[in-house]
C-alpha cells in the first residue's frame, strides 16, 4: 500500500466516524437541535423523546429487527431556562441532522437533494408538528413518520407517492402511483363543502383531472411501504422487489433507476457494508437513551501561528487583517475570546475576555500578534489554548478553538490532537499554505468544526472569508452576519463595483477595504446618492485596512464603490451585514461539495443553497469558484434546472459537476446575484411523509351490508392461477372480496381483490373472474361480464364510506419577488488525490429528466443534454432504445429495440433536446412503451442509462367514463366510482399473477 492509499483509507475511516453512526445494531450520535426561534416549551422535549422511542420500535420492525435508535442528544436553545440542562459539547444547530424550527407549513420533510443512496442534509420538523396531536391523523403516527424521514436522511431513498403524478396508465388501465403494488384504494374528488364526487376524466389523457384524490382502504393486506404511506396501520416496512411498483411515476423510481427502496437501503446506502451482514436482534430493542444539552455564550480561543514562515507573502499581516475582521464584525456580543500565539514556545496574548462593547473589541484587536519568528510547535500552542479555555469553568467542553497555522508541525501534532479532540471542544482549523499537516483537517472533522485551506493569493480574499464564516448559528439567522460581497483585483487604476443591499439585511453593515501597498482613494455611494468619502471611514495604516461602518440600517438598493490606485497593487473589498429586522430572517447561502475527498473515481458535485426562512430562492445567478493551492481557479455556473448534477428544478439548490479535478487542496467560494431581477421566493413541496386526504373505512366488504351477505372466502394462489369464480347466490348487495395468499421467501403476503358487480334482481349467478393466466381475457370490458349497460348493475347500500381528514392548512404559493441582492459564501475546503497519475475522463452525465409522449404513431422524447464530461461540453452521440418491458430495458439496455439516431447530434450540455421518430408499426391503443437513452463521449465512454420514460398511446375518448353529468342519479355515481376502483384491482391481480409467474419461472 503506498502512502497515498493509506491517506485515502485513513480519511475515509475518519470521515465515517463523524455524524450519525451504527454501534452494533443501534444508531448513535444523533443530534436533534431546537432552533432559538422556538419559544421555550419543555413538553417539546418529551414529544421528541416519544417520537424517537416509538420510531425505534418501528425502525426495528421495518428492517428485519436489525437496527434501532440507541442514543440521541437534544440540543435546546440558549434562551431556554428554569431547567438545568447538561452542557453541549460539539453539538450545533447547523450540524444537527434533525432540526426543529418554524416554517411556512407544518409538513415534516427531509431536506434531500443529493443522488440516490446518498445521505440527505437534515430532517425538518416544526414545533407545532410535534406539539399538536391532530397532525397524527394527517401524516400517521409520529414514530412511523420519523422512520419515513429517516429513510430519506440516512439511506437516500425517495418518496413512492407523487403529488404531481398521482395516476398513470399501465397498458391501458388506470393505476394509482403507489408502492406496494398491492395497496388498494379508490378515487374521489372532494368538493369544497367536503362532499365527495366521482373524479372526472380528461378525455385527452384519460387520466383523472386535477383534484382527484386517491383514498386508500383503511385495511390493507400488505405491509409496505413506509415511503408510500406510513399512516396505514398495516404498513410497517419498505417495498422489496416482489412488491415494488416499477412503473409508478414517483421520485423513487426516477431517482433510483426504478430500484425498490429495500434494495437501495441494502445495496447503495451509507449502511450498505453493514446492514446485509448485521445479525437481527434476539429481543426487542431497549428504549433510546437521551441527553438534553444546551449551549450558552460562545467561548473561543484563537490559537495563532507566529513561526518564521508566517513572514512569507506577509501572511502574518493578513492573519492580523482577517482576525481583526472576525473580532470587529463577526463575533457576537457577549462571546468570550482569548488569544494564544505559538512558534517555538506559546504565549497568552489575551486571557478570556467577554465582548461587551466596541472598545473591548478594539482592545482585543490591539493584542493580535504582529511579528513572526521561530519554529512551529503546534502542541505548545494547542495545549496552552486548551488551558485558556479552562480558566472560566475548569473545562473545555463546548468551547471553541480557531487554530491557524501555515505549515507542517516541528513537533508531532498527533501527540496532542487526540487529546484535544477528546476534550469536547469544537476545533475550527485554518491550514494556511500548501504544507499544513492532515491532523488539522481531522481535528475539525471530528469535533464539528470547520476546515479551511486558504491560498496565498491576496485577491482571492480567502483568509478573510474563512474567518468571516466562523459563526455558530443557533438557528436564528437574524443574529448571524451575512456576507454580501468578497472580491479582489490587482490593478493600477480603478476597482469599481456594486453591492446590492436587499430588504432582508442592512443592520451593522460594514465595507472593509484592504490594500497591498499604498492607501488608495475610496468613495462609497448609497442608492439615493449620498457619498461616503474617506473622512467617514476609519483607516488603520499598520493593517492596511480601511473600514466604513454604515450607521443605522443601510439603505436598501445598489451601493457603488470606487477605489482608485495610482500604483499597481492588489485590493480587496469585503461587505458584511446583518438582518434588518429581528423577525425577518435574511436570505442565506450555504455552499458545499458532495464529498470532502475525491480519488477521482466518483464525480464531485458543487452545491449552493439559496434560501430565506427555509423558502427556496429560485432564478438567481450562482457562480462557484474552485481554487487550488497553486492559485489556479475554475469558475462554474451552478444551475437549478433539475438536470445533470441538479436533483430538482426550482428547489433553490444550484448544482454542477466539478470535472476538471486537480491534485491537492481546493477551496470553494460561491457568488449569488439577482442579476436580471428574476429571482423569486417560492413555497416548494419537499420530500417527506405524505398528507393523507382520508381513508375508505367501509371498504365494501360484504360483512358490512344488510341481510343476505356472505363472508368472503379465502383462496389460495393455485386457485388464482387456474381461474377465479365466486358463487354469489343469495347476494343482495355489496362486493365480492377474494383474498389471495401467496408465499414469498420469508413471509406471507395477503392480497385482497375486490369486485363490485353484484346485481339485484338477477337472482343467483356465478361471476366468472376469468383466467389470470390469459392476459387477453382481462380487458376492461371483460370485467363487466360483457355488459356495457350501467343499468344492469345496481348497488344497494354498500357504497364506500370515506372518512375525510381535515384539509391541509393552505400555504400561500404565490412566488414573491426578491429584489436585488448579492451574497458570497464559502464551503469547507476539500482534497483531491488521484489513485492513478492522470485525471480521470468522465463520461456524459446520466440523463435524469427523459420524458416521452406518443401521438398517433410517433414518439416524442425530450431531455436535457449532458456534456462531454458529465454536464460540461458537448457529448458525441446518443443511443436511444425502447421496449414493451420496463425490466428488460433496465436490466439489458443493449438488447432492447434501437432507435435510429444517425441524424441526432448532441447539443451543448444544458440544452433542451427533442427527438421525434416513428416506429415501423402501428401502436395499439392502450399500449405502454418504455424508453431509455445513453450518451457517449469522444473517448467512447458511455453514460449510465437515463431514467426510464414511459408513454401510453391513448386515443381520445368521445365519451370518457366519469365525465361530469349533473343529470346522473346517485346510483350511477357510485357505479362509476366503483368502475374506477375495479380497474385498479384488476391491475393488482395482473401484477400478482405476473409475480407468481416470475417466481415459477425462476
Ligand atoms: Ca471553558
Ligand atoms: Ca436544484
Ligand atoms: Ca469525457
Amino acid at each position: 500500500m503506498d502512502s497515498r492509499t493509506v491517506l485515502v483509507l485513513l480519511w475515509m475511516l475518519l470521515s465515517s466516524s463523524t455524524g450519525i453512526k451504527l454501534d452494533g445494531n443501534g444508531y448513535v450520535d444523533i443530534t436533534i437541535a431546537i432552533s432559538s426561534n422556538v419559544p421555550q416549551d419543555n413538553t417539546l422535549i418529551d414529544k421528541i423523546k416519544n417520537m424517537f422511542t416509538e420510531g425505534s420500535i418501528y425502525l426495528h420492525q421495518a428492517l428485519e429487527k436489525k437496527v434501532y435508535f440507541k442514543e440521541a442528544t437534544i440540543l435546546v436553545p440558549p434562551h431556554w431556562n428554569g431547567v438545568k440542562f447538561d452542557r453541549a459539547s460539539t453539538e450545533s444547530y447547523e450540524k444537527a441532522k434533525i432540526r426543529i424550527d418554524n416554517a411556512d407549513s407544518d409538513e415534516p420533510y427531509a431536506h434531500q437533494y443529493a443522488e440516490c443512496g446518498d445521505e440527505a442534509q437534515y430532517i425538518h420538523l416544526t414545533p407545532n408538528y410535534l406539539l399538536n396531536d391532530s397532525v397524527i391523523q394527517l401524516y400517521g403516527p409520529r414514530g412511523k413518520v420519523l422512520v419515513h424521514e429517516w429513510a430519506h436522511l440516512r439511506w437516500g431513498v425517495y418518496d413512492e407517492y407523487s403529488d404531481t403524478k398521482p395516476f398513470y396508465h399501465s397498458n391501458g388501465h388506470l393505476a394509482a402511483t403507489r408502492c406496494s403494488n398491492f395497496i388498494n384504494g379508490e378515487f374521489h374528488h372532494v368538493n369544497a363543502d367536503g362532499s365527495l364526487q366521482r373524479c372526472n376524466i380528461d378525455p385527452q389523457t384519460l387520466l383523472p383531472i386535477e383534484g382527484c384524490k386517491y383514498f386508500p382502504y383503511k385495511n390493507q393486506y400488505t405491509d409496505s411501504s413506509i415511503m408510500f404511506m406510513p399512516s396505514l396501520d398495516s404498513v410497517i416496512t419498505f417495498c422489496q422487489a416482489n412488491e415494488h411498483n416499477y412503473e409508478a411515476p414517483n421520485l423513487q423510481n426516477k431517482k433510483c433507476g426504478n430500484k425498490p427502496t429495500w434494495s437501495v437501503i441494502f445495496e447503495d446506502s451509507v449502511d450498505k457494508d453493514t446492514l446485509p451482514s448485521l445479525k437481527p436482534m434476539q429481543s426487542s430493542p431497549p428504549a433510546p437513551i437521551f441527553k438534553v444539552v444546551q449551549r450558552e455564550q460562545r467561548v473561543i480561543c484563537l490559537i495563532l501561528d507566529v513561526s518564521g514562515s508566517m513572514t512569507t507573502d506577509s501572511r502574518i499581516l493578513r492573519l492580523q487583517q482577517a482576525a481583526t475582521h472576525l473580532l470587529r464584525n463577526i463575533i457576537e456580543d457577549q462571546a468570550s475570546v482569548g488569544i494564544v500565539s505559538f512558534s517555538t514556545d506559546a504565549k497568552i496574548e489575551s486571557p478570556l475576555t467577554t465582548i461587551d462593547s466596541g472598545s473591548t473589541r478594539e482592545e482585543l484587536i490591539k493584542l493580535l500578534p504582529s511579528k513572526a519568528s521561530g519554529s512551529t510547535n503546534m502542541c505548545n500552542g494547542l495545549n496552552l489554548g486548551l488551558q485558556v479555555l479552562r480558566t472560566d469553568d475548569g473545562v473545555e467542553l463546548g468551547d471553541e478553538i480557531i487554530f491557524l497555522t501555515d505549515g507542517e508541525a516541528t513537533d508531532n501534532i498527533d501527540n496532542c490532537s487526540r487529546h484535544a479532540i477528546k476534550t469536547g471542544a469544537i476545533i475550527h482549523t485554518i491550514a494556511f499554505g500548501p504544507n499544513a499537516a492532515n491532523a488539522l483537517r481531522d481535528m475539525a472533522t471530528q469535533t464539528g468544526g470547520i476546515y479551511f485551506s486558504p491560498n496565498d493569493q491576496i485577491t482571492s480574499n480567502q483568509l478573510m472569508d474563512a474567518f468571516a464564516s466562523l459563526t455558530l448559528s443557533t438557528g436564528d439567522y437574524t443574529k448571524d452576519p451575512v456576507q454580501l460581497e468578497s472580491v479582489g483585483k490587482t490593478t493600477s487604476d480603478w476597482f469599481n463595483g456594486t453591492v446590492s443591499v436587499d430588504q432582508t439585511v442592512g443592520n451593522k453593515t460594514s465595507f472593509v477595504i484592504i490594500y497591498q501597498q499604498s492607501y488608495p482613494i475610496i468613495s462609497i455611494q448609497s442608492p439615493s446618492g449620498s457619498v461616503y468619502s474617506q473622512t467617514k471611514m476609519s483607516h488603520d495604516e499598520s493593517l492596511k485596512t480601511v473600514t466604513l461602518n454604515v450607521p443605522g440600517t443601510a439603505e436598501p438598493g445598489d451601493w457603488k464603490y470606487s477605489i482608485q490606485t495610482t500604483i499597481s497593487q492588489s485590493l480587496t473589498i469585503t461587505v458584511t451585514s446583518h438582518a434588518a429586522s429581528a423577525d425577518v430572517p435574511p436570505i442565506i447561502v450555504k455552499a458545499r461539495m458532495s464529498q470532502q475527498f475525491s480519488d477521482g473515481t466518483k464525480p464531485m458535485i458543487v452545491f449552493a443553497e439559496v434560501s430565506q426562512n427555509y423558502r427556496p430562492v429560485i432564478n438567481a445567478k450562482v457562480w462557484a469558484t474552485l481554487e487550488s493551492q497553486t492559485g489556479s481557479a475554475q469558475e462554474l455556473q451552478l444551475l437549478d434546472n433539475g438536470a445533470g448534477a441538479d436533483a430538482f428544478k426550482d428547489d433553490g439548490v444550484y448544482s454542477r459537476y466539478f470535472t476538471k479535478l486537480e491534485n491537492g487542496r481546493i477551496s470553494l467560494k460561491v457568488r449569488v446575484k439577482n442579476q436580471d431581477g428574476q429571482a423569486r421566493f417560492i413555497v416548494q413541496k419537499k420530500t417527506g411523509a405524505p398528507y393523507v386526504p382520508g381513508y375508505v373505512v367501509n371498504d365494501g366488504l360484504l360483512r358490512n351490508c344488510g341481510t343476505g351477505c356472505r363472508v368472503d372466502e379465502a383462496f389460495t394462489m393455485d386457485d388464482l392461477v387456474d381461474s377465479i369464480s365466486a358463487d354469489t347466490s343469495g347476494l343482495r348487495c355489496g362486493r365480492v372480496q377474494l383474498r389471495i395468499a401467496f408465499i414469498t421467501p420469508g413471509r406471507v403476503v395477503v392480497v385482497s381483490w375486490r369486485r363490485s358487480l353484484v346485481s339485484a334482481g338477477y337472482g343467483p349467478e356465478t361471476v366468472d373472474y376469468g383466467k389470470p393466466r390469459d392476459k387477453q381475457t382481462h380487458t376492461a370490458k371483460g370485467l363487466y361480464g360483457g355488459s356495457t349497460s350501467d343499468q344492469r348493475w345496481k348497488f344497494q347500500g354498500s357504497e364506500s364510506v370515506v372518512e375525510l381528514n381535515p384539509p391541509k392548512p393552505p400555504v400561500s404559493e404565490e412566488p414573491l419577488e426578491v429584489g436585488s441582492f448579492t451574497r458570497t459564501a464559502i464551503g469547507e475546503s476539500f482534497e483531491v488525490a488521484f489513485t492513478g497519475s492522470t485525471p480521470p475522463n468522465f463520461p456524459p452525465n446520466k440523463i435524469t429528466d427523459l420524458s416521452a409522449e406518443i401521438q398517433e404513431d410517433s414518439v416524442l422524447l425530450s431531455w436535457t443534454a449532458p456534456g462531454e464530461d458529465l454536464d460540461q461540453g458537448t457529448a458525441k452521440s446518443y443511443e436511444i432504445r425502447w421496449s414493451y418491458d420496463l425490466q428488460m430495458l433496465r436490466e439489458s439496455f443493449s438488447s432492447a429495440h434501437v432507435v435510429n439516431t444517425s441524424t441526432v447530434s448532441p447539443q451543448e450540455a444544458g440544452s433542451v433536446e427533442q427527438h421525434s421518430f416513428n416506429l415501423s408499426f402501428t401502436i395499439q391503443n392502450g399500449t405502454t412503451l418504455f424508453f431509455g437513452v445513453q450518451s457517449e463521449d469522444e473517448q467512447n465512454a458511455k453514460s449510465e442509462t437515463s431514467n426510464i420514460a414511459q408513454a401510453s398511446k391513448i386515443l381520445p375518448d368521445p365519451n370518457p367514463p366519469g365525465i361530469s353529468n349533473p343529470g346522473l342519479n346517485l346510483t350511477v355515481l357510485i357505479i362509476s366510482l366503483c368502475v374506477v376502483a375495479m380497474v385498479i384491482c384488476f391491475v393488482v391481480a395482473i401484477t400478482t399473477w405476473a409475480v407468481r409467474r416470475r417466481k415459477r419461472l425462476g
Side-chain angles (χ1 to χ4, degrees):
M1 227 186 279
D2 65 17
S3 61
R4 178 149 283 159
T5 317
V6 174
L7 187 139
V8 171
L9 289 174
L10 186 71
W11 169 250
M12 286 162 73
L13 193 74
L14 289 169
S15 47
S16 66
S17 70
T18 60
I20 296 165
K21 52 182 178 285
L22 262 178
D23 175 18
N25 296 88
Y27 283 105
V28 298
D29 292 345
I30 303 164
T31 304
I32 304 132
I34 303 172
S35 158
S36 58
N37 295 319
V38 178
Q40 181 159 9
D41 184 346
N42 293 345
T43 54
L44 199 52
I45 299 172
D46 298 326
K47 292 286 189 180
I48 294 169
K49 288 182 179 175
N50 291 345
M51 182 180 196
F52 272 81
T53 307
E54 187 186 280
S56 187
I57 295 163
Y58 283 119
L59 184 66
H60 181 247
Q61 210 172 16
L63 241 56
E64 297 177 331
K65 302 184 176 172
K66 288 189 171 198
V67 289
Y68 71 108
F69 297 128
K70 189 175 177 183
E71 288 170 16
T73 303
I74 302 167
L75 177 68
V76 304
H79 70 272
W80 286 27
N81 54 37
V83 181
K84 185 82 193 104
F85 299 110
D86 287 337
R87 185 85 177 262
S89 168
T90 56
E91 297 86 5
S92 65
Y93 187 80
E94 288 277 308
K95 299 250 170 174
K97 287 292 190 181
I98 293 110
R99 301 186 190 175
I100 319 288
D101 201 353
N102 304 316
D104 291 333
S105 139
D106 286 327
E107 208 152 30
Y109 68 86
H111 189 41
Q112 182 179 24
Y113 55 78
E115 300 186 302
C116 177
D118 287 351
E119 285 177 274
Q121 292 303 292
Y122 57 84
I123 294 171
H124 182 117
L125 305 168
T126 64
N128 191 46
Y129 172 78
L130 287 158
L131 293 169
N132 179 353
D133 286 345
S134 67
V135 298
I136 295 175
Q137 208 186 338
L138 307 186
Y139 300 100
R142 289 196 189 93
K144 223 197 276 181
V145 169
L146 176 62
V147 177
H148 176 106
E149 306 305 348
W150 180 265
H152 284 303
L153 176 77
R154 180 71 185 173
W155 302 311
V157 296
Y158 283 88
D159 288 324
E160 289 165 335
Y161 66 93
S162 171
D163 285 339
T164 51
K165 290 185 179 165
F167 315 108
Y168 66 101
H169 287 286
S170 178
N171 273 321
H173 303 288
L174 187 62
T177 300
R178 69 204 191 287
C179 207
S180 107
N181 263 319
F182 303 144
I183 292 277
N184 284 326
E186 297 175 2
F187 302 91
H188 299 283
H189 186 101
V190 188
N191 296 321
D193 63 357
S195 63
L196 293 181
Q197 187 190 315
R198 64 190 169 146
C199 292
N200 292 337
I201 303 290
D202 180 328
Q204 289 304 313
T205 63
L206 290 193
L207 287 171
I209 63 160
E210 209 185 327
C212 182
K213 296 272 185 300
Y214 183 67
F215 289 82
Y217 292 117
K218 189 92 183 173
N219 300 313
Q220 299 282 345
Y221 301 95
T222 172
D223 58 4
S224 61
S225 168
I226 289 172
M227 297 318 284
F228 173 64
M229 208 170 275
S231 54
L232 290 167
D233 288 343
S234 71
V235 166
I236 53 166
T237 187
F238 297 95
C239 252
Q240 298 197 29
N242 57 1
E243 292 198 12
H244 179 64
N245 182 353
Y246 289 89
E247 294 183 2
N250 53 24
L251 280 178
Q252 173 61 25
N253 279 335
K254 192 173 174 212
K255 295 282 167 201
C256 300
N258 307 66
K259 211 167 172 177
T261 45
W262 184 274
S263 313
V264 172
I265 294 169
F266 278 79
E267 294 165 16
D268 307 317
S269 79
V270 64
D271 290 327
K272 66 174 189 287
D273 297 328
T274 318
L275 279 180
S277 55
L278 197 61
K279 292 268 184 302
M281 298 167 73
Q282 295 300 310
S283 51
S284 46
I289 297 164
F290 296 99
K291 269 200 302 185
V292 183
V293 301
Q294 187 175 37
R295 176 180 297 286
E296 290 167 11
Q297 296 301 340
R298 292 174 82 181
V299 178
I300 307 166
C301 188
L302 293 172
I303 305 177
L304 307 172
D305 184 347
V306 292
S307 63
S309 54
M310 284 294 288
T311 53
T312 318
D313 293 325
S314 53
R315 283 175 185 165
I316 187 75
L317 173 63
R318 280 187 290 126
L319 160 62
Q320 258 187 297
Q321 292 163 339
T324 298
H325 181 52
L326 175 81
L327 292 169
R328 196 175 276 155
N329 303 311
I330 305 296
I331 291 183
E332 58 272 40
D333 283 338
Q334 301 308 318
S336 294
V337 178
I339 304 170
V340 163
S341 65
F342 70 93
S343 54
T344 312
D345 298 309
K347 180 186 168 203
I348 298 176
E349 306 283 354
S350 168
L352 284 182
T353 306
T354 302
I355 296 180
D356 50 12
S357 66
S359 54
T360 340
R361 294 180 188 270
E362 297 307 318
E363 291 300 317
L364 281 165
I365 289 166
K366 276 187 210 135
L367 296 170
L368 287 168
S370 57
K371 297 206 164 49
S373 65
S375 56
T376 313
N377 284 318
M378 291 191 191
C379 285
N380 288 354
L382 195 55
N383 289 333
L384 189 61
L386 291 168
Q387 189 185 314
V388 167
L389 291 177
R390 288 194 298 269
T391 53
D392 59 342
D393 57 357
V395 291
E396 304 95 332
L397 188 76
D399 297 340
E400 287 170 79
I401 284 172
I402 297 172
F403 191 94
L404 177 137
T405 179
D406 77 335
E408 290 168 347
T410 314
D411 54 350
N412 185 355
I413 190 170
D414 292 336
N415 290 339
C416 56
S417 64
R418 263 180 245 137
H419 166 72
I421 289 165
K422 285 197 191 114
T423 60
I426 297 175
I427 307 175
H428 309 286
T429 52
I430 301 174
F432 205 23
N435 302 316
N438 287 322
L440 297 168
R441 184 189 53 204
D442 302 340
M443 280 199 291
T445 322
Q446 294 195 55
T447 62
I450 304 171
Y451 168 70
F452 295 112
S453 179
N455 67 22
D456 281 324
Q457 304 285 319
I458 296 175
T459 49
S460 63
N461 213 22
Q462 288 185 0
L463 196 61
M464 283 287 280
D465 293 341
F467 273 88
S469 58
L470 293 172
T471 55
L472 196 66
S473 185
T474 60
D476 178 0
Y477 295 103
T478 64
K479 300 248 168 34
D480 301 334
V482 180
Q483 199 179 62
L484 307 186
E485 183 61 286
S486 161
V487 66
K489 190 182 180 184
T490 302
T491 179
S492 55
D493 48 27
W494 291 97
F495 175 33
N496 298 335
T498 303
V499 180
S500 303
V501 172
D502 53 288
Q503 303 283 351
T504 66
V505 293
N507 283 351
K508 290 193 264 176
T509 305
S510 67
F511 290 76
V512 180
I513 295 113
I514 292 173
Y515 57 89
Q516 193 184 6
Q517 288 168 37
S518 81
Y519 190 23
I521 299 164
I522 305 167
S523 155
I524 294 170
Q525 190 184 328
S526 78
S528 61
S530 308
V531 176
Y532 293 85
S533 63
Q534 253 142 311
T535 53
K536 301 226 172 92
M537 304 176 192
S538 60
H539 178 215
D540 185 326
E541 202 167 351
S542 63
L543 286 183
K544 297 189 164 66
T545 301
V546 184
T547 307
L548 169 67
N549 290 311
V550 179
T553 306
E555 187 188 326
D558 289 346
W559 287 68
K560 296 195 173 79
Y561 60 86
S562 306
I563 307 169
Q564 190 187 19
T565 172
T566 48
I567 61 152
S568 177
Q569 63 173 335
S570 295
L571 301 163
T572 67
I573 181 163
T574 309
V575 185
T576 313
S577 190
H578 283 74
S581 148
D583 40 75
V584 181
I587 298 168
I588 52 172
V589 177
K590 302 274 169 200
R592 57 178 280 267
M593 298 298 296
S594 57
Q595 303 146 257
Q596 288 308 110
F597 177 81
S598 173
D599 60 5
T601 50
K602 197 183 167 197
M604 300 185 94
I605 304 175
V606 192
F607 296 112
E609 194 187 334
V610 190
S611 66
Q612 188 262 340
N613 200 26
Y614 305 99
R615 285 188 295 179
V617 175
I618 61 163
N619 302 340
K621 289 277 182 280
V622 181
W623 291 272
T625 308
L626 296 119
E627 212 167 330
S628 73
Q629 282 294 328
T630 56
S632 72
Q634 274 184 65
E635 188 146 292
L636 283 176
Q637 184 174 7
L638 308 186
L639 303 172
D640 187 13
N641 62 353
D646 191 56
F648 298 103
K649 184 178 166 65
D650 290 347
D651 65 347
V653 178
Y654 300 74
S655 337
R656 202 74 186 262
Y657 284 110
F658 175 45
T659 56
K660 301 208 170 46
L661 299 182
E662 191 182 327
N663 271 324
R665 291 186 181 139
I666 300 172
S667 65
L668 164 66
K669 180 165 174 173
V670 162
R671 309 170 55 74
V672 183
K673 265 189 162 64
N674 183 9
Q675 200 176 34
D676 37 18
Q678 293 300 306
R680 297 284 183 278
F681 298 117
I682 59 157
V683 175
Q684 192 227 12
K685 172 78 182 91
K686 308 217 168 70
T687 65
Y691 158 80
V692 185
Y695 303 95
V696 181
V697 285
N698 172 353
D699 54 1
L701 291 188
L702 300 180
R703 62 171 179 267
N704 292 317
C705 67
T707 49
C709 298
R710 281 163 38 132
V711 175
D712 46 49
E713 294 275 346
F715 286 74
T716 67
M717 191 62 202
D718 283 331
D719 294 321
L720 173 65
V721 168
D722 294 330
S723 86
I724 297 173
S725 65
D727 180 5
T728 59
S729 45
L731 283 184
R732 296 228 311 272
C733 63
R735 302 169 179 186
V736 175
Q737 156 128 347
L738 304 176
R739 285 185 181 171
I740 303 145
F742 69 97
I743 298 163
T744 62
R747 61 205 188 121
V748 176
V749 177
V750 180
V751 179
S752 78
W753 185 26
R754 297 179 183 80
R755 248 198 106 182
S756 316
L757 49 122
V758 181
S759 67
Y762 281 81
E765 66 171 319
T766 298
V767 182
D768 185 10
Y769 288 82
K771 292 179 178 145
R773 204 172 258 180
D774 180 5
K775 261 187 172 176
Q776 292 310 311
T777 65
H778 281 75
T779 61
K781 202 168 177 181
L783 264 180
Y784 305 134
S787 168
T788 53
S789 161
D790 279 346
Q791 281 75 44
R792 187 176 161 191
W793 310 110
K794 285 187 182 167
F795 289 77
Q796 295 180 349
S798 176
E799 66 267 35
S800 313
V801 176
V802 174
E803 207 174 78
L804 285 179
N805 280 331
K808 241 192 327 189
V811 175
S812 160
E813 289 179 12
E814 193 66 22
L816 299 172
E817 281 196 31
V818 178
S820 285
F821 75 98
T822 50
R823 292 287 184 278
T824 57
I826 59 168
E828 286 189 54
S829 302
F830 60 97
E831 184 156 347
V832 174
F834 304 132
T835 39
S837 54
T838 50
N841 169 44
F842 290 112
N845 67 260
K846 171 184 166 169
I847 294 164
T848 57
D849 61 351
L850 179 69
S851 66
E853 230 180 286
I854 300 179
Q855 272 171 357
E856 304 294 324
D857 286 321
S858 96
V859 177
L860 174 68
L861 298 182
S862 317
W863 67 93
T864 304
E868 163 66 31
D869 299 317
L870 299 166
D871 57 4
Q872 280 142 67
T874 305
K876 189 185 73 181
S877 62
Y878 293 125
E879 181 176 332
I880 302 175
R881 291 184 181 266
W882 68 273
S883 173
Y884 291 109
D885 182 347
L886 185 149
Q887 291 293 67
M888 188 261 179
L889 191 61
R890 273 184 77 217
E891 286 158 17
S892 176
F893 182 79
S894 59
S895 38
H897 303 286
V898 70
V899 174
N900 184 350
T901 51
S902 55
T903 59
V904 187
S905 47
Q907 303 181 70
E908 198 189 342
S911 316
V912 176
E913 297 276 22
Q914 290 201 313
H915 182 51
S916 155
F917 53 92
N918 283 313
L919 295 174
S920 55
F921 55 91
T922 307
I923 307 169
Q924 296 291 312
N925 188 26
T927 306
T928 302
L929 300 178
F930 300 93
F931 302 88
V933 181
Q934 285 186 349
S935 344
E936 206 172 278
D937 71 3
E938 286 298 338
Q939 298 177 57
N940 302 326
K942 275 191 179 171
S943 72
E944 286 177 57
T945 306
S946 66
N947 64 299
I948 305 291
Q950 55 186 292
S952 293
K953 179 167 178 181
I954 304 289
L955 294 179
D957 189 338
N959 300 303
I963 275 286
S964 183
N965 183 340
L968 287 177
N969 63 32
L970 181 69
T971 310
V972 179
L973 285 176
I974 294 162
I975 290 172
S976 303
L977 287 176
C978 294
V979 166
V980 179
M982 278 195 301
V983 175
I984 295 296
C985 297
F986 169 72
V987 173
V988 170
I990 287 295
T991 315
T992 312
W993 165 78
V995 167
R996 174 73 177 181
R997 186 184 64 156
R998 215 171 289 137
K999 204 182 124 212
R1000 283 195 169 173
L1001 292 175

